Amino acid sequence: MRQWGALVAALAACCALAPPRAAAAACEPVRIPLCRSMPWNMTKMPNHLHHSTQDNAVLAIEQFEGLLGTGCSADLLFFLCAMYAPICTIDFQHEPIKPCKAVCERARRGCEPVMRRYNHSWPDSLQCGELPLYDRGVCISPEAIVKADAADPYSQDPARCNPESSPDFPLDAGNLHCRGEVVDRCKCKTVKMGLNTYLKNNYNYVIRARVREVRTRGMEPTAVVEVREVLKSSLVHIPRETLTLHYSSSCQCPPVTVGDEYLIMGYENEETSRLLLIDGSIAQKWKDKMGRKVKRWDQILQGKARAAHRRSRH
């Protein structure tokens, strides 16, 4: 526990040196079952994968249950929890603390060969390159807060699926889930399109697009769309051509149908230049009046931003 206290103190010191930011959401207790064995019990949303609630993060992290059952890396569970349920302390709430680059690299080195046997590769959303080095930034690693010889809490539970050794729970080559009793937990929440929602959610991009393909195989479903009109964009350039939208879990929410045309509102991952379809995104069947509405709403949003900027200068 002395090591844990030292880490918190170090994080607090880093926070004191950081520039002031806008008020952030408070820490909340970890409710993701796979992560309750971690040496922290408080997290903060949105996480590093842009899940705004733990309910959505649960659906995403459970994609890795079959891979965890293989025991391919002692670092995998720690790394996943640091990404999906990042540690949050009272003194360091402004942004989630990332896992160290070395933790990601160890997890990938151990588990990617297993994934390749099932024709999968390490997910792009979990790339190690953007993560901080242990001695050059604030990050979290198991050796800093737990004993190096600590047992993997996942492997201690015999009820967990172990697809590499148990024929009763083979790994599904389609998505790396454990095959067996399947419970459909995907229930997409309907987001009502209106001015209040638009102002509150502050979408990074708004496009009119026709869906050409929905790819559900693997751990990162995508929708391939043909962009007809760009109504709003941010840092990621959106050409009027075919592009890919990335879901944040195996649940395709919001759902789209191949061949139909939609008004799509979503977010972007600045680090990877990806356009995202995540919790809070909107995909509604296109109607001609929608374009005029969005342009009017965007003018209101920009006016509010200018007014807030003027107030901050006085």
Side-chain angles (χ1 to χ4, degrees):
M1 294 303 295
R2 288 196 300 270
Q3 291 173 314
W4 177 242
L7 175 67
V8 173
L11 294 176
C14 291
C15 184
L17 295 174
R21 297 192 179 195
C27 299
E28 58 187 72
V30 173
R31 294 185 288 103
I32 298 175
L34 284 175
C35 299
R36 287 178 180 164
S37 61
M38 291 296 105
W40 66 89
N41 58 11
M42 301 296 285
T43 187
K44 179 183 180 297
M45 296 287 130
N47 60 19
H48 299 303
L49 285 304
H50 305 280
H51 300 108
S52 61
T53 67
Q54 289 193 63
D55 290 338
N56 290 292
V58 165
L59 295 173
I61 196 173
E62 284 183 349
Q63 298 175 97
F64 296 92
E65 190 164 12
L67 192 62
L68 284 162
T70 68
C72 56
S73 170
D75 292 285
L76 180 60
L77 181 60
F78 185 97
F79 170 66
L80 291 174
C81 288
M83 293 293 290
Y84 285 91
I87 179 177
C88 183
T89 72
I90 295 176
D91 296 315
F92 202 83
Q93 294 186 42
H94 294 287
E95 60 185 46
I97 302 165
K98 293 183 176 180
C100 298
K101 182 178 181 180
V103 182
C104 175
E105 290 175 337
R106 292 197 300 263
R108 178 173 183 170
R109 188 162 54 246
C111 296
E112 191 166 32
V114 176
M115 299 174 73
R116 284 176 176 166
R117 291 208 300 270
Y118 294 92
N119 298 318
H120 291 284
S121 58
W122 189 255
D124 289 342
S125 59
L126 297 178
Q127 292 300 319
C128 307
E130 300 297 327
L131 296 175
L133 297 172
Y134 180 75
D135 57 348
R136 298 184 188 176
V138 177
C139 63
I140 185 172
S141 64
E143 55 267 22
I145 58 175
V146 295
K147 294 181 180 179
D149 59 352
D152 182 356
Y154 189 91
S155 64
Q156 292 176 331
D157 185 352
R160 297 288 191 193
C161 87
N162 191 339
E164 292 287 281
S165 61
S166 173
D168 295 330
F169 292 98
L171 203 62
D172 189 329
N175 53 27
L176 293 181
H177 286 259
C178 287
R179 289 204 299 262
E181 183 180 356
V182 178
V183 178
D184 185 8
R185 299 184 58 193
C186 295
K187 295 181 179 179
C188 298
K189 182 177 69 174
T190 301
V191 181
K192 185 177 180 181
M193 192 185 79
L195 175 60
N196 290 338
T197 300
Y198 190 79
L199 297 179
K200 176 183 176 182
N201 290 355
N202 194 19
Y203 297 104
N204 295 134
Y205 73 89
V206 182
I207 59 176
R208 172 189 176 187
R210 185 177 68 86
V211 179
R212 298 186 63 177
E213 184 181 359
V214 178
R215 300 170 180 169
T216 59
R217 180 180 172 83
M219 308 180 77
E220 297 181 303
T222 58
V224 180
V225 302
E226 179 185 334
V227 178
R228 298 290 180 85
E229 185 177 0
V230 179
L231 298 168
K232 179 183 179 181
S233 63
S234 185
L235 298 175
V236 177
H237 174 65
I238 305 176
R240 290 190 60 176
E241 58 186 40
T242 300
L243 54 80
T244 301
L245 308 179
H246 298 264
Y247 286 100
S248 60
S249 77
S250 58
C251 295
Q252 287 94 58
C253 297
V256 294
T257 303
V258 173
D260 287 344
E261 191 167 288
Y262 290 88
L263 174 72
I264 301 176
M265 303 182 181
Y267 300 93
E268 62 187 21
N269 184 327
E270 180 182 349
E271 294 178 350
T272 60
S273 297
R274 282 183 164 191
L275 299 179
L276 308 175
L277 281 174
I278 60 177
D279 177 46
S281 297
I282 287 177
Q284 290 198 5
K285 294 286 185 67
W286 174 261
K287 295 179 181 179
D288 289 338
K289 63 180 180 181
M290 288 179 170
R292 296 190 296 272
K293 278 188 177 181
V294 170
K295 291 176 181 177
R296 185 168 66 250
W297 294 345
D298 206 40
Q299 290 175 349
I300 296 173
L301 185 62
Q302 292 178 22
K304 286 181 176 291
R306 287 193 294 268
H309 179 68
R310 286 194 297 269
R311 287 195 299 270
S312 68
R313 298 181 61 183
H314 294 295

